[in-house]
Amino acid sequence: MKCLHCGANIPDDQVICPECGAEVQIVPDYNPLEDVLAREVKGSVEGATRQIRSGDIRRYNRRGTPVQSVNSTRVMSQGELDRIRDERQNMNRRTGEQNRAGGRSTGGVRSTGRTSGSTGGLRGEERSSRNVEKLRNTGSGSRTAAGTRSGGSARNTGNVRPNREQTGRQRDDRRRQQQLKKREAAKKRRRNLLITLFLLLALIGVGIYVAYQNSYTGVMKKGYSALQAGNYEQAESYFNRAIVKDKSRAEAYTGLSEIYIEQNDLDSAESVFLSALGSQPTNADLYQAAIDFYMDTEQLEKISPLLADCEDETVLNAVSDYVSAAPSFSLEGGTYSEVQEVTISSSTGGTIYYTTDGTDPTASSEEYREPILLQNEGEVVIKAIAINDKEIPSIASSAKYTIEFPIASAPAVNPATGQYTEPTQITITVPDGYTAYYTMDGTTPTSDSERYTGPVDMPENSQIIFNAVLINNNNGKATDVTTRNYITRAE
């Protein structure tokens, strides 16, 4: 409630205003309970009590606010009255002790004596019924709190009431106690808050640790720890668990392959990636992991076949640095009747190596620098590879060429067969790419016979059989033989 002197708030457990020191009067000047007590003492209990109306205790003005009066009252419970009475008695003891210590008058002692007398009276009245005892205690407490009705009560109040100095010290003591309690409460709250935060952080830390241990990364770490310890079965179990958690990530497949690499089983290590790519043909990370496997195990020749089976442009763009395109030939394979020239190129660049005997080319084969000339009749198989900057060989390209030069007709020999009386020269028509050979004794000419270099003089007075043949300069094939019979006579 509020103090009627200064308007300050008075806690329910105090009877003195903490600001101005005014004492709170608990009951009004006229307390109906005193009449009840008087009648009970006379022995007439029944009908002695009556209901206390709110108007008897506190009066209000027309606006509904309490009328400000020095003797404002409120009805208190028995527990509150007992507590206030105890506080008064304790305060009286402290006041008496302070007065005795300072050599003052014993007014306080008289007050204590009177109070003790009052207490003795109350103890005597306890012999009545419980209801009478409650009313008597209430009345006595009310009179003691009010201190205005009876002279003894007034004297007690006057003796008990501390002076201004004592009231100020008591007020300061209460303030210090309240501040101390507030600080202690604040410290306790901070301590509890810190403990709560610590426990919360600990729980979060434990949760994070547990989550990490069961996460993909945590399982992978356990797998590699087992692998380093040589426990291959346990490592395989952890890596398979990681694949179940996220089959799109390549790290677990790499871990499985390393288990087989440690045991020198490269085929099983390779099958780990090939099996995964069979179900995930668009996973660029898996392709990269497989390429790394081939690079680490020095199986570079298997990278190009792996990428050749990939049809996803996104994957090929992601691993474009490892792509080595197979070479292409400027001339398609087939049969040709003339000398041919073949050019080899690669769309991804690099160095080209080739063979013309049908064997698989390697980095030790003939390096391509200029077009290949097919000038000999027969069959030629050209194979070529391109090796890129990462030393990855491409798939070998091959082409088969057949050169068949056409056979010329038998050579034309002039003059025709006959008898000649004048000196005459014999000529042979030789096409390009051929060489003519002849005989004059009727034998079949070969490349070992007389080579035709120009007109031949027909012998005089003789009969000869002139045979001529053409030999292909490229393949050495001979044409049919042309035969002429000549008879020469001088006139």
Side-chain angles (χ1 to χ4, degrees):
M1 66 181 177
K2 291 187 177 181
C3 178
L4 299 179
H5 291 278
C6 63
N9 289 324
I10 302 174
D12 292 340
D13 60 348
Q14 297 185 17
V15 295
I16 297 177
C17 177
E19 296 295 334
C20 65
E23 184 177 6
V24 177
Q25 209 166 15
I26 305 303
V27 297
D29 292 340
Y30 173 71
N31 190 349
L33 297 177
E34 292 182 356
D35 294 339
V36 176
L37 274 176
R39 284 193 293 271
E40 289 299 327
V41 171
K42 294 178 182 180
S44 56
V45 178
E46 295 181 0
T49 59
R50 63 182 178 89
Q51 185 177 4
I52 300 176
R53 295 174 298 175
S54 61
D56 296 335
I57 305 303
R58 178 176 298 175
R59 302 191 181 277
Y60 293 82
N61 57 20
R62 293 180 179 180
R63 296 182 180 179
T65 60
V67 177
Q68 295 186 354
S69 173
V70 177
N71 295 323
S72 295
T73 62
R74 65 183 177 91
V75 178
M76 303 184 72
S77 64
Q78 181 64 38
E80 289 178 316
L81 290 174
D82 292 341
R83 179 175 49 77
I84 293 172
R85 184 163 55 248
D86 294 337
E87 288 179 356
R88 282 290 183 86
Q89 292 176 359
N90 293 332
M91 186 173 61
N92 290 338
R93 293 194 202 97
R94 287 196 300 270
T95 303
E97 291 173 0
Q98 291 174 0
N99 291 337
R100 285 194 299 272
R104 294 182 179 180
S105 175
T106 59
V109 177
R110 289 196 303 272
S111 176
T112 304
R114 295 294 297 272
T115 303
S116 300
S118 299
T119 305
L122 289 174
R123 289 177 180 174
E125 294 175 359
E126 287 178 356
R127 298 166 185 172
S128 302
S129 64
R130 183 172 298 177
N131 291 331
V132 175
E133 181 182 359
K134 290 183 179 179
L135 291 173
R136 183 178 296 110
N137 289 338
T138 303
S140 176
S142 299
R143 286 194 298 272
T144 303
T148 57
R149 277 291 179 182
S150 64
S153 297
R155 285 193 298 271
N156 287 341
T157 302
N159 292 332
V160 173
R161 178 178 296 174
N163 55 27
R164 289 287 183 177
E165 183 179 357
Q166 293 174 342
T167 303
R169 284 197 301 269
Q170 292 175 358
R171 185 167 59 251
D172 294 339
D173 291 340
R174 284 194 298 272
R175 288 179 180 176
R176 284 193 294 270
Q177 291 176 0
Q178 291 174 357
Q179 292 175 357
L180 182 60
K181 290 181 179 179
K182 290 181 179 179
R183 285 195 295 268
E184 291 296 331
K187 288 181 180 179
K188 186 175 181 180
R189 286 195 299 271
R190 286 195 297 268
R191 183 170 60 254
N192 292 337
L193 179 60
L194 290 175
I195 293 174
T196 302
L197 289 176
F198 175 78
L199 293 176
L200 181 60
L201 292 175
L203 289 175
I204 292 174
V206 171
I208 292 174
Y209 176 79
V210 173
Y212 173 78
Q213 291 296 318
N214 291 279
S215 66
Y216 185 92
T217 303
V219 173
M220 286 294 299
K221 185 176 179 180
K222 293 178 181 178
Y224 275 110
S225 297
L227 178 60
Q228 292 176 357
N231 193 340
Y232 300 131
E233 292 183 1
Q234 187 177 13
E236 182 178 2
S237 175
Y238 281 126
F239 291 137
N240 284 326
R241 280 180 57 189
I243 291 174
V244 172
K245 288 181 176 295
D246 190 350
K247 68 176 183 179
S248 64
R249 298 181 65 174
E251 293 87 346
Y253 301 100
T254 301
L256 283 177
S257 69
E258 291 181 5
I259 295 175
Y260 296 110
I261 293 173
E262 290 289 330
Q263 303 176 72
N264 296 321
D265 188 357
L266 296 183
D267 291 338
S268 297
E270 180 183 18
S271 66
V272 170
F273 296 105
L274 297 182
S275 298
L277 288 173
S279 59
Q280 302 180 63
T282 61
N283 191 329
D285 292 337
L286 270 178
Y287 273 99
Q288 183 63 60
I291 292 172
D292 294 338
F293 161 72
Y294 287 131
M295 296 283 286
D296 294 339
T297 56
E298 297 182 355
Q299 301 182 81
L300 304 182
E301 69 280 359
K302 292 186 177 182
I303 296 177
S304 291
L306 174 71
L307 297 179
D309 294 335
C310 179
E311 299 179 354
D312 191 279
E313 290 297 329
T314 302
V315 173
L316 295 177
N317 291 333
V319 297
S320 59
D321 292 342
Y322 300 91
V323 175
S324 183
S328 59
F329 302 109
S330 61
L331 183 67
E332 294 182 359
T335 301
Y336 297 91
S337 61
E338 297 178 353
V339 175
Q340 299 295 326
E341 188 177 79
V342 180
T343 301
I344 306 175
S345 62
S346 175
S347 61
T348 56
T351 304
I352 297 175
Y353 299 90
Y354 73 97
T355 61
T356 57
D357 59 359
T359 59
D360 293 330
T362 64
S364 300
S365 302
E366 185 74 18
E367 182 179 349
Y368 176 81
R369 289 188 174 90
E370 59 184 13
I372 301 173
L373 184 64
L374 302 178
Q375 58 183 358
N376 296 322
E377 190 175 37
E379 185 178 276
V380 177
V381 177
I382 299 178
K383 288 186 176 182
I385 61 171
I387 299 179
N388 64 9
D389 295 338
K390 291 186 177 293
E391 300 183 356
I392 298 175
S394 68
I395 296 176
S397 298
S398 64
K400 181 179 180 181
Y401 302 97
T402 300
I403 304 298
E404 294 180 354
F405 296 115
I407 300 176
S409 301
V413 179
N414 290 308
T417 298
Q419 182 175 342
Y420 295 91
T421 60
E422 296 180 354
T424 306
Q425 289 185 324
I426 302 171
T427 60
I428 302 174
T429 301
V430 183
D432 293 337
Y434 288 87
T435 300
Y437 296 90
Y438 67 94
T439 62
M440 299 181 69
D441 57 359
T443 59
T444 300
T446 64
S447 58
D448 295 330
S449 301
E450 190 72 24
R451 182 179 178 182
Y452 177 80
T453 59
V456 178
D457 292 332
M458 189 181 297
E460 295 181 357
N461 299 319
S462 62
Q463 182 177 354
I464 60 173
I465 297 175
F466 187 88
N467 289 327
V469 69
L470 296 177
I471 303 296
N472 191 301
N473 295 332
N474 294 318
N475 55 19
K477 289 184 177 182
T479 64
D480 293 336
V481 177
T482 301
T483 301
R484 295 287 186 266
N485 292 326
Y486 296 114
I487 300 174
T488 61
R489 296 183 182 278
E491 292 181 355

